[in-house]
Structures are given as structure tokens and as C-alpha cells.
Amino acid sequence: MSDQKIKYIVVVGSIMSGLGKGIVTASIGKLLQARGYKVSPIKFDGYLNVDCGTMNPFRHGEVFVLDDGTEVDMDFGTYERFLNQSISGENSITGGKLFQKIIEKERRGDYLGRDVQFVPHLTDEIKKWVRNVGKKNDSDVVIVEVGGTVGDLENSYFLEAMRQLGVEETVLFAQLTFLPSLSEGEQKTKPTQHATRLLQSMGINPDIILCRGNEKLSDEARKKLALYCNVKEEFVFDDPTLNTIYELPLLLEKQNLYKAIAEKLKLEDRKPDLKEWKEKVDRIINPKNSAIKIAVVGKYTSVKDAYISVKEALVHSAAEIDYGLEIEWVEASDLEKMEKEKVTKFLGKFDGIIVPGGFGERGIEGKIIAINYARLNKIPYLGLCLGLQLMVIEFARNVCKLQTAHSTEFDKVTKYPVIDFLPEQKQIAKMGASMRLGAYSCDITNNTITKQAYDKKECSERHRHRYEVNPDFVDEISKFGLVFAGFHKSSKGDVTEIVEWPSEYGFGVATQAHIELKSRLETPAPIFVQYMKAAAKRKKEGK
């Protein structure tokens, strides 16, 4: 496909961040995909970090990892979950990547002595990048989400590049805004009017406007926005708070968003195939069975976005088995302060327990307390990354009687380092480079829960970690019954990928990989589905 045939949609923010541009971008992509168009989403983030790998989850939310190992903004998780497709690291553009590329070219002399400027050198680089993503993926439509809001200094040069792209290609500009209500029924459009004028002063006129608000978009507000923002009235859309984010494509479809897109981009009038999507959404909103109660025991629980992929994987798997879902976020360090009787009373109310990934020593013993309680009381347990490592530590201490067993991440002189630094990573110095990142294959052991879940000999899941199960202890621990259910085969030896409790302790599965990252509404993570089935069984049996 030539780049002349590729159409572009640019989604920009308006008066404030945090409105859900990623969800809007993914929803637009879903409506196009449902009509047979091939879509590629791109996200631009203005920060000067090369990627998200070194960012604190408290500040930035979850670091999402792609198959190729690129650490990206969590919006990429939304794209993949909506579009049910894996995305490349090239779809992530950051200010750090752009400036790094420009400086490398300047140092090589690629600019032939020219003074290097934002326009045309940086803007040309951006346009080339966006076009190349579309060509490489043979896309019909490329959707570009611009991080931040209009007026941010750090994205102004990117908006200039998109303005130029709008002159050179077929581009639709979509503006996401917020309509505050000072009193019920009185939505204020002035902030959006001012933001639109700022956008227009940059040479960009929005073709459609999507409105977030605390109440339904009123006819009066719609008319005002159309009049003062130079947009057709039928091209102003409501983006309200919904029961689930997966409902948004269906709502925008009812409002004829595709018709507006098709008119601007000259697309065909095709009927959408959203039947399966609607069925899954209906199961989320009105499940056949009552809610399964899951405790997620972590250390970033005050920022729910830090575990967004875990949450969504639970949503997907609950919908798959047609159950409701109730998640309680448990701060691991709080369990360390509780007496044993209080721990029993608190954790005993859950149908399942999850320990997700994380870094640092805070809350480690609290997570181990939760794992121990789950094992002894046969509460279905799922461990993810660190959750696997702590499951091994708990088992080594309390079943294998290696009482001081630990990870060298937290105790460098432990007598029983059942979890240790990846040997092949020890010589790497760059921050972020010492991680095992991206998708790795795993050979699955027969007669395991994992084999039942995947129903095949091999799987591939994404990783983000520095430590692993120490191979020197595998034989000793397995003698006491811990099942090593999956290994990654490498020239340097087998790397433990999945472990399971012996059946006497009920359902207990943990993965070194972050299996939540590849879970989608239409194709839930297999082990999550098995886990939720076990939790549902426990609930049904009355615990």
C-alpha cells in the first residue's frame, strides 16, 4: 500500500489531561477495525525519557511491555486490549527518542553543515516516522494520540508536525475535551472554546470534538461548541462515564462517529461486526453469576493505574466465565502490621489472592504472609513475576525448611538464595538494560494446570524482571512437591517460567512472565481464566 492511500487520525487533548485519550483512540480504532480496516495506533509522549522503563509507577502508572521488549506508556495496553493485536515499539514516539535520533544524525554529519532546527528537521523526522509506521504495517488508517494537552510546551513541535501532515495527507483531527458543570444541567463550554482557539492559532481546526463530563452532553452545549469551535453539530460527540471502558466503542457507534470519520477520510460505508464485542461487554455489565472477590496484594495500591493490566485481565477472565468481579486492593505492608487472627479474618473473605509484580523491599514480607495464608487455606493463588519469586521463597521456607531462604534482591548474603540475579545480566551497566524484557518462549510441562490452560506444548509471554529462580535449588525444592510447570530453554540452561503448588494445597500458579500484558477482552489470558474458574468454584462451594 502506498503512503498516499494511508489515512490519518490525530487525537489531541484540550483543557486537561487524564480524560482518557487512549481509550478514545482505541475506541476509534475498534470502529474502523470492525469494518475491516487495518489500523495502527501511535502514541507521542513529550517527556525526554527515551522510554517509560525508569519511571516510578506512582507518577506514571504501569510500564507496559511489548513483545519486542520496548517499555511504553500504559495507553499501549489499552490499544492492544481493544484491537486484539500486538504492537511494535516503533509505534511509541517520545521526545527522548526524537531528540536522540536528531543528535545522532547531527553528530554523523547527516545535515551537511546545516544549522539543525525544530522546523524543518525535527518536524520532518516526525512525519517520516508516522508515515513509516503506516507503511510497515500496511495500514489503512494510522491513529496518532498526542500526549498532554494543547498549549504544553513539550508537545508543540509535534502538533506543528501534525499540522504539516494535515496539509500533505488526508488527516482528521479529533479533540477530546472536558465540560465542567457548576450546577446540574449547566455545562460550561468556554474552556473548550478557548482551548480550540489556541489549537486553531497553531493551524489546526478540529474536525470532531468528543466531550467528557459529569453528565450527559446537553443539546445546548452541543450547539454552542459547534457554533464557536467551527465544527458541524453532528460531529460533537458525548464521551460520558460508563460502566466499563469497553462500552465506549458501542456508544460512539450509536452516535454515528464512524459516519463523521468516513466523511472526512472518504472511507466506505461498511457495516460493523461488533457482535462478539457487545456480548463480552454485556457480560461485564450484567454477568450471569454474582461477583468473585479477588484480593490484589501489592505495594502501589494507592495508584490503581500501576496494576491496570492485572485489573483488565481479571475483567476479561471474569467476563469469559460470565461472573461478576469485585477487586480489593490490599497494601502489602499493612498485612505485616496485623496479628495472625486479623490476617485470617481479613484474607478469609476472598475467593482468590493475587500478588503482582513490583520492585524494592517494601511490603515483601506482607506479600509472603498472603501467599502462606492462601496455600494453607487452599485459596486460589496467582503470582505474577515477583509473585512467582515470593511463592518459591514461601515454599522453600515453610515446606522445604530452608528457613532463611530469600532473594538476593532483598538479602544479598542469604544462606539460601533461591531467587538470584540473572547470570547473563550481571555485566550490564545501563539503567533499564539489565532487565529481561519482551516475549520469551516457554515449554510447558505435561499434566499441569498450565498445560490445561494453554492446551499446547509451548507458549510465549512477556517479561520485565532482573531476578529468577536459582537453578541450583530447583531439584531440592521440587523434591518437596513444588511443580515446575514451564521452562524457557536457552544455551545457558533452563530458566524457570511457571511453578505450581502440589494439588494438596489447591490452585496455586505463578508465572515469571507478566501474563496479564497479553490478555485481551476477546482473547483472555489462559491462566487467568483457569484461576477465575478455581475462584468461582471456591465461591460456589461456600469456601
Side-chain angles (χ1 to χ4, degrees):
M1 179 180 290
S2 65
D3 57 359
Q4 281 78 19
K5 293 183 180 179
I6 299 174
K7 311 297 175 67
Y8 300 86
I9 297 173
V10 179
V11 182
V12 300
S14 186
I15 62 174
M16 61 187 287
S17 60
L19 296 180
K21 283 198 304 296
I23 298 168
V24 166
T25 300
S27 296
I28 291 172
K30 191 66 187 176
L31 295 184
L32 291 165
Q33 188 188 64
R35 289 171 166 85
Y37 289 107
K38 193 169 184 181
V39 176
S40 286
I42 293 175
K43 172 74 185 290
F44 168 74
D45 284 297
Y47 47 71
L48 297 182
N49 305 65
V50 172
D51 58 40
C52 297
T54 58
M55 293 186 181
N56 190 319
F58 280 116
R59 291 182 57 84
H60 197 73
E62 175 186 77
V63 176
F64 195 78
V65 180
L66 305 177
D67 278 343
D68 60 16
T70 307
E71 296 171 287
V72 294
D73 184 86
M74 65 181 185
D75 280 337
F76 280 86
T78 304
Y79 303 158
E80 290 198 347
R81 288 188 280 270
F82 274 64
L83 300 176
N84 197 17
Q85 67 186 43
S86 295
I87 298 171
S88 166
E90 293 179 347
N91 293 55
S92 173
I93 306 175
T94 68
K97 285 183 181 178
L98 284 170
F99 289 120
Q100 186 179 60
K101 187 181 284 279
I102 288 289
I103 290 169
E104 286 173 355
K105 283 189 171 184
E106 187 275 331
R107 289 292 84 191
R108 287 196 307 262
D110 291 3
Y111 296 109
L112 302 176
R114 288 284 304 274
D115 50 326
V116 185
Q117 298 178 315
F118 279 83
V119 181
H121 301 103
L122 186 58
T123 52
D124 283 352
E125 193 68 49
I126 292 168
K127 289 184 292 181
K128 179 182 176 183
W129 194 325
V130 169
R131 287 185 174 110
N132 282 344
V133 167
K135 290 169 69 176
K136 183 175 180 180
N137 292 285
D138 194 29
S139 306
D140 298 306
V141 182
V142 173
I143 310 178
V144 184
E145 178 190 347
V146 184
T149 60
V150 176
D152 290 347
L153 183 64
E154 61 190 17
N155 68 21
S156 57
Y157 59 84
F158 194 90
L159 287 172
E160 166 59 19
M162 294 300 96
R163 180 197 68 78
Q164 294 178 22
L165 189 72
V167 174
E168 299 162 4
E169 307 283 0
T170 304
V171 180
L172 177 146
F173 287 95
Q175 178 186 359
L176 178 61
T177 189
F178 180 71
L179 298 186
S181 300
L182 297 182
S183 60
E184 189 174 347
E186 188 184 6
Q187 293 176 315
K188 297 297 183 181
T189 64
K190 272 291 190 289
T192 299
Q193 292 178 42
H194 289 306
T196 304
R197 285 174 187 154
L198 179 57
L199 193 60
Q200 290 168 335
S201 74
M202 302 168 78
I204 296 173
N205 195 77
D207 299 290
I208 64 176
I209 296 178
L210 299 106
C211 304
R212 290 281 285 134
N214 297 322
E215 54 190 279
K216 189 177 185 296
L217 177 64
S218 68
D219 289 339
E220 182 182 0
R222 190 192 303 272
K223 284 178 167 46
K224 279 187 177 180
L225 288 173
L227 178 63
Y228 292 112
C229 297
N230 201 29
V231 176
K232 292 182 180 181
E233 193 174 320
E234 62 267 30
F235 288 3
V236 180
F237 298 93
D238 195 9
D239 177 16
T241 301
L242 300 169
N243 293 303
T244 170
I245 60 173
Y246 302 106
E247 195 179 357
L248 186 58
L250 302 175
L251 179 68
L252 295 177
E253 177 66 22
K254 286 181 181 177
Q255 296 180 67
N256 293 316
L257 175 64
Y258 176 77
K259 182 180 178 182
I261 294 171
E263 180 177 314
K264 172 66 178 180
L265 298 186
K266 297 179 173 57
L267 301 176
E268 296 175 11
D269 182 17
R270 300 178 182 177
K271 296 292 183 183
D273 181 6
L274 290 165
K275 182 181 177 183
E276 183 182 352
W277 188 265
K278 187 178 185 304
E279 288 174 355
K280 286 293 182 76
V281 171
D282 287 343
R283 285 187 181 186
I284 295 173
I285 298 172
N286 297 302
K288 182 179 178 181
N289 300 287
S290 58
I292 298 170
K293 296 181 180 180
I294 302 295
V296 179
V297 183
K299 62 180 291 185
Y300 312 119
T301 56
S302 61
V303 182
K304 303 303 184 296
D305 282 349
Y307 299 118
I308 190 68
S309 288
V310 176
K311 172 183 174 290
E312 297 306 324
L314 286 168
V315 170
H316 305 160
S317 52
E320 182 70 13
I321 64 172
D322 211 354
Y323 268 79
L325 174 66
E326 183 181 321
I327 302 173
E328 185 164 335
W329 305 93
V330 179
E331 187 64 32
S333 54
D334 289 347
L335 294 179
E336 297 172 358
K337 304 169 189 174
M338 289 186 188
E339 296 176 358
K340 189 173 181 179
E341 293 76 15
K342 286 188 177 180
V343 170
T344 299
K345 185 178 180 181
F346 178 71
L347 293 179
K349 65 184 179 181
F350 296 107
D351 303 308
I353 293 172
I354 292 179
V355 172
F359 296 89
E361 192 172 2
R362 183 173 62 83
I364 290 299
E365 294 302 324
K367 294 176 185 179
I368 291 174
I369 288 170
I371 295 168
N372 176 259
Y373 183 86
R375 180 175 61 81
L376 295 179
N377 292 276
K378 297 185 179 181
I379 298 177
Y381 170 73
L382 178 60
L384 305 168
C385 195
L386 179 62
L388 173 139
Q389 296 169 11
L390 298 182
M391 179 177 172
V392 172
I393 290 170
E394 189 281 328
F395 197 88
R397 287 180 182 178
N398 299 310
V399 180
C400 307
K401 303 305 179 186
L402 306 177
Q403 294 178 356
T404 59
H406 221 315
S407 167
T408 54
E409 179 180 5
F410 313 119
D411 183 356
K412 298 192 183 305
V413 295
T414 176
K415 184 178 179 182
Y416 304 111
V418 295
I419 306 297
D420 201 0
F421 200 68
L422 296 172
E424 62 269 29
Q425 305 291 68
K426 288 184 177 179
Q427 305 306 315
I428 301 174
K430 282 187 180 179
M431 186 65 174
S434 59
M435 291 272 222
R436 186 176 179 221
L437 291 166
Y440 286 80
S441 63
C442 170
D443 290 348
I444 300 172
T445 306
N446 285 327
N447 303 316
T448 58
I449 296 171
T450 303
K451 181 65 185 297
Q452 183 181 356
Y454 285 98
D455 194 26
K456 54 186 179 181
K457 296 179 180 179
E458 184 179 306
C459 64
S460 176
E461 299 287 359
R462 297 173 183 175
H463 295 66
R464 185 176 186 257
H465 64 101
R466 290 188 177 91
Y467 292 81
E468 67 172 11
V469 175
N470 188 336
D472 294 341
F473 286 88
V474 168
D475 288 342
E476 184 173 357
I477 294 174
S478 61
K479 287 177 185 177
F480 287 84
L482 192 67
V483 179
F484 288 80
F487 292 94
H488 171 68
K489 305 289 185 180
S490 74
S491 59
K492 297 180 180 178
D494 293 349
V495 178
T496 298
E497 290 283 350
I498 305 169
V499 298
E500 300 178 5
W501 281 330
S503 57
E504 63 192 272
Y505 298 115
F507 185 102
V509 180
T511 65
Q512 185 59 74
H514 285 273
I515 57 172
E516 71 273 18
L517 297 180
K518 289 178 73 171
S519 182
R520 288 93 186 255
L521 181 60
E522 292 161 300
T523 54
I527 290 178
F528 265 87
V529 175
Q530 291 298 111
Y531 169 71
M532 291 299 280
K533 286 179 179 178
K537 182 181 178 183
R538 174 179 168 81
K539 177 182 179 64
K540 192 173 182 179
E541 292 174 351
K543 305 177 184 178

